[in-house]
Amino acid sequence: MHTFFIAPTGFGVGLTSISLGLVGALERAGLKVGFFKPIAQPHQGDMGPERSSELIARTHGLHSPKPLALAHVERMLGDGQLDELLEEIISLYQQAAADKDVVIVEGMVPTRQASYAARVNFHLAKSLDAEVILVSAPEQESLSELSDRVEIQAQLFGGPKDEKVLGVILNKVRSDDGIEAFANRLKELSPLLKGDDFRLLGCIPWQEELNAPRTRDIADLLGARVLNAGDYEQRRMLKIVLCARAVANTVQLLKPGTLVVTPGDRDDIILAASLAAMNGMPLAGLLLCSDFAPDPRIMELCRGALQGGLPVMTVSTGSYDTATNLNRLNKEIPVDDKERAEKVADFVASHIDHEWLFARCGTPRELRMSPPAFRYQLVQRAKAANKRIVLPEGSEPRTVQAAAICQARGIARCVLLAKPDDVHAVARAHGIELPEGLEILDPDLIRERYVEPMVELRKGKGLNAPMAAAQLEDTVVLGTMMLALDEVDGLVSGAINTTANTIRPALQLIKTAPGYKLVSSVFFMLLPDQVLVYGDCAVNPDPTAVELAEIALQSAASASAFGIIPRVAMLSYSTGDSGSGEEVEKVREATRLAKAIDPQLLLDGPLQYDAAAIESVGRQKAPGSPVAGRATVFIFPDLNTGNTTYKAVQRSADCVSVGPMLQGLRKPVNDLSRGALVDDIVFTIALTAIQAANLPQ
């Protein structure tokens, strides 16, 4: 077990953000990570649980011991009870470290009130035998001044040459020529970073979007009266615009994430903002000041914008005082803002040298596929695959945004099947920036060239040219033909189309992979501790024993392809020989058939779900089973059971499910839920790209 103690070099370095990112970075590497904040330091206005611990719990599912209250710590220090305090902290640390590969311990932040923080941090690091990582943020200072400040802090823990002092993470770095150039300049200038004793472990660029509060946070800060809540829980403020100018000079300022601040009697500005909102512009909201109530007749005209989710609030202060109050906004992440915390964690993690830290931790007992590790590897492997993925629902807003994200991040080369004007209109309306290289193909301009190849593929079914042309009006069929002709590597559909509409053309034109007779599906269930594979929960209503065996083998192969060690549980309402009946016999026969095909595969059944998933129950009900209590792949006996279970687990455990991923096809085609979020589509595109890369050559 390994311990990293993170110590700030001063106030306002973003220690909580670094904790979130560091935990995420190490989880990506497959380590079991613990988190511990020994001493609570509430910020002004904090009334609930300690901020860092609560955010870690909500984003990473890590529940750590309750930190000691600051008043209690100060009382013990004042009474000369430092040793007793450390003993108390070590006891809590042991709870946080149980069954973990590595623990992140967050130190105290030095403030005017807590001038003793550096001394306490030193004793904590020594008592926990921890390796120290400093956290700093460049201020209005030269690189040499920054280097000196970091070195002074390093000296407090034994100096940069001390084997326990690993290095520094720099946060909130602003550099016109990029982070890499900044880091290189610092390394050249700083004596600290000349050797390998003290390292620059991360350089986190300043990202304004990560500081964007929700419109609700603005309302809470100002004590505003909410006239229309709309989407104020979801919308974020990226920019504030004080509107005193004429409408014609205001229009260009109405951008996504803008909070429009204007007196309540400026009917023209209120109407302009509402019109922009009704045209799809996602403004952060409308803040009416100067204690002028808006005209009810004007608000009635704005009803469409209000119903569309535009938040409207009012305050009694004038424009100047309102702007001043807005500038006082606390930049800390609210404990209930999980979305922002997750974005910060991912962003920080991506700029930390987690590979070096992972190597420093040594080899863990067994690498696990945690949800962060799964998501990270998914994106990294998709990037490496560099596949071309067609999206037939090319003008659907979520699809457009997902394609833009994938293209910008290099996850896949996306092809949108839609009229370019329609895609650009959607992008403008939703504030989506279309990256360079994103392909948009007009179906009307390319459809004709697929008629003859489609007739050739389906000639055995009596398809003629007019029939093919008619079927190709459907962009899913068109995209499937592109896949059949190897012009693209995979297809993702289903945001609008049904599962049947997505799968049917694939079965007709792509067909099943060699060795397989059916198409099935799996969901990747991102539980707090690990990722499990559920199959089949979407395609086959009542598979036979032969089909169930094939689903098991397909699902095991899918698990392996995504870095999950397959231990396959064939599920039933009975375990081993304890039960009988037609359904149990089907599972028993499927288990026998699957073992005969692949004797090396860790597979067992019939098993009840608790016997498959819980180690203590598995030992009791199925002693000697290589799968019981440790299953990673769960095969359900029918669609009714599978679909019900995956949705129950997803909702009850509040976990993310990625899928369904179709398996058994000769080339990858994947179906989306019609309620899919943008992130769901991004991950499905990544899955598809990896599937394409794993196809036999």
Side-chain angles (χ1 to χ4, degrees), residues 500-513:
N501 284 350
T502 298
I503 295 178
R504 190 184 307 107
L507 289 171
Q508 293 172 344
L509 301 168
I510 304 297
K511 302 190 170 50
T512 55

Side-chain angles (χ1 to χ4, degrees), residues 388-397 399-400 403 413-424 426 438-447 449-450 471-483 487-488 490-493 496-497:
R388 191 168 182 241
I389 307 298
V390 66
L391 306 169
E393 300 157 329
S395 59
E396 196 278 324
T399 303
V400 173
R413 292 175 285 129
C414 293
V415 181
L416 295 170
L417 288 184
K419 291 193 172 296
D421 287 349
D422 292 348
V423 175
H424 286 287
V426 166
L438 179 62
E439 286 188 76
I440 306 169
L441 297 181
D442 187 338
D444 294 341
L445 300 181
I446 63 171
R447 186 176 291 112
R449 71 172 185 252
Y450 295 101
Q471 290 184 28
L472 286 165
E473 291 288 331
D474 184 341
T475 53
V476 177
V477 177
L478 182 60
T480 308
M481 275 302 304
M482 294 173 71
L483 182 59
E487 294 178 4
V488 293
L491 178 146
V492 174
S493 176
I496 301 170
N497 287 280

Side-chain angles (χ1 to χ4, degrees), residues 240-259:
I240 302 167
V241 172
L242 289 168
C243 287
R245 58 183 74 182
V247 168
N249 298 319
T250 300
V251 170
Q252 69 269 24
L253 303 175
L254 302 178
K255 303 289 185 185
T258 297
L259 179 70

Side-chain angles (χ1 to χ4, degrees), residues 342-559:
E342 286 177 340
K343 285 183 178 177
V344 168
D346 285 344
F347 183 77
V348 173
S350 65
H351 291 86
I352 288 176
D353 191 351
H354 60 274
E355 290 182 3
W356 187 86
L357 290 171
F358 173 61
R360 189 81 183 183
C361 294
T363 305
R365 293 179 297 275
E366 179 184 340
L367 281 175
R368 67 189 185 112
M369 184 57 73
S370 65
F374 179 79
R375 290 193 296 264
Y376 176 71
Q377 290 188 22
L378 199 64
V379 170
Q380 295 306 112
R381 291 172 67 181
K383 285 181 177 180
N386 189 30
K387 296 299 181 181
R388 191 168 182 241
I389 307 298
V390 66
L391 306 169
E393 300 157 329
S395 59
E396 196 278 324
R398 292 164 296 164
T399 303
V400 173
Q401 191 169 351
I405 291 169
C406 288
Q407 190 74 33
R409 292 178 63 188
I411 294 170
R413 292 175 285 129
C414 293
V415 181
L416 295 170
L417 288 184
K419 291 193 172 296
D421 287 349
D422 292 348
V423 175
H424 286 287
V426 166
R428 281 194 303 273
H430 292 82
I432 302 167
E433 187 175 339
L434 299 178
E436 190 177 343
L438 179 62
E439 286 188 76
I440 306 169
L441 297 181
D442 187 338
D444 294 341
L445 300 181
I446 63 171
R447 186 176 291 112
E448 188 61 34
R449 71 172 185 252
Y450 295 101
V451 172
E452 191 175 327
M454 187 170 172
V455 170
E456 181 64 24
L457 279 174
R458 299 279 291 161
K459 61 185 178 184
K461 301 294 182 180
L463 189 76
N464 58 32
M467 293 163 65
Q471 290 184 28
L472 286 165
E473 291 288 331
D474 184 341
T475 53
V476 177
V477 177
L478 182 60
T480 308
M481 275 302 304
M482 294 173 71
L483 182 59
L485 298 178
D486 293 325
E487 294 178 4
V488 293
D489 302 297
L491 178 146
V492 174
S493 176
I496 301 170
N497 287 280
T498 63
T499 298
N501 284 350
T502 298
I503 295 178
R504 190 184 307 107
L507 289 171
Q508 293 172 344
L509 301 168
I510 304 297
K511 302 190 170 50
T512 55
Y516 291 136
K517 294 180 180 177
L518 86 164
V519 174
S520 67
S521 73
V522 289
F523 281 91
F524 294 94
M525 306 297 291
L526 277 58
L527 296 172
D529 253 1
Q530 66 180 135
V531 178
L532 302 176
V533 177
Y534 282 11
D536 172 12
C537 306
V539 178
N540 296 286
D542 189 17
T544 64
V546 173
E547 291 170 336
L548 202 58
E550 187 168 325
I551 291 168
L553 296 170
Q554 288 178 352
S555 303
S558 293

Side-chain angles (χ1 to χ4, degrees), residues 679-691:
D679 282 352
D680 299 331
I681 303 174
V682 169
F683 284 130
T684 303
I685 292 170
L687 282 173
T688 309
I690 296 167
Q691 279 183 293

